[in-house]
Amino acid sequence: MSTDDEKVLLWAAIEDDAGLWETEWELRAVHPDWADARVRERARDLLMQFLEADLVRLFRCQLLEGRRVEIDRAEAVEMLAASASWDPAGHDEPSIRVAATEAGEAFYARMD
C-alpha cells in the first residue's frame, strides 16, 4: 500500500521534470498545516527512497539552453541534502530536477 505523499511526488516526476522546490509545493498542497522544514524533510526522504529503488533520477537542467544532464547517484544524494538545491530557479538559471524512470512509471501504475 502506498501513501498519498508517494503518489503525489511520483506523479510530479512522471508528469514533468519537476524541480525539487516543486516537490515541496506538491506536498504542501497535501499538508497545508505542516511546517516548511517538515515538508522538505518528507520530500527529501521520499525522493531518497525513490532514488534508491531506481524509481527516479535527478538531473541538472538549464532550461533556456535545453540542457539536461543526469546526476550520478552519489551526487544526487548530496544534492538532495543541499539546501541550495531546493531553491526555486529562474528559466535562465540551472536547476536540480527529478524525473521518473520506466520502473517509476510502472510502480506508479500499480499503486493503490
Side-chain angles (χ1 to χ4, degrees), residues 31-102:
H31 304 287
D33 55 327
W34 281 12
D36 292 344
R38 185 174 180 192
V39 171
R40 181 170 291 182
E41 180 181 349
R42 179 68 172 153
R44 181 183 300 128
D45 289 349
L46 286 175
L47 291 175
M48 190 73 76
Q49 291 173 27
F50 291 166
L51 187 66
E52 302 269 331
D54 197 36
L55 302 179
V56 300
R57 298 272 189 271
L58 264 58
F59 293 88
R60 184 172 286 105
C61 296
Q62 187 80 34
L63 294 181
L64 285 182
E65 296 176 14
R67 285 191 297 176
R68 181 180 186 256
V69 178
E70 185 173 345
I71 299 170
D72 68 49
R73 190 170 302 225
E75 185 180 2
V77 169
E78 291 175 15
M79 299 310 301
L80 288 173
S83 231
S85 299
W86 295 83
D87 293 340
H91 288 290
D92 60 339
E93 299 174 329
S95 61
I96 305 302
R97 296 185 172 265
V98 60
T101 62
E102 286 184 24

Side-chain angles (χ1 to χ4, degrees), residues 6-14 50 55-56 100 104 107-108 111:
E6 290 171 328
K7 289 178 188 176
V8 163
L9 289 193
L10 196 50
W11 176 249
I14 291 169
F50 291 166
L55 302 179
V56 300
F107 183 81
Y108 182 85
M111 288 179 144

Side-chain angles (χ1 to χ4, degrees), residues 5 12 17 27 30 48 64 94 102:
D5 296 352
D17 289 358
L27 280 184
V30 177
M48 190 73 76
L64 285 182
E102 286 184 24

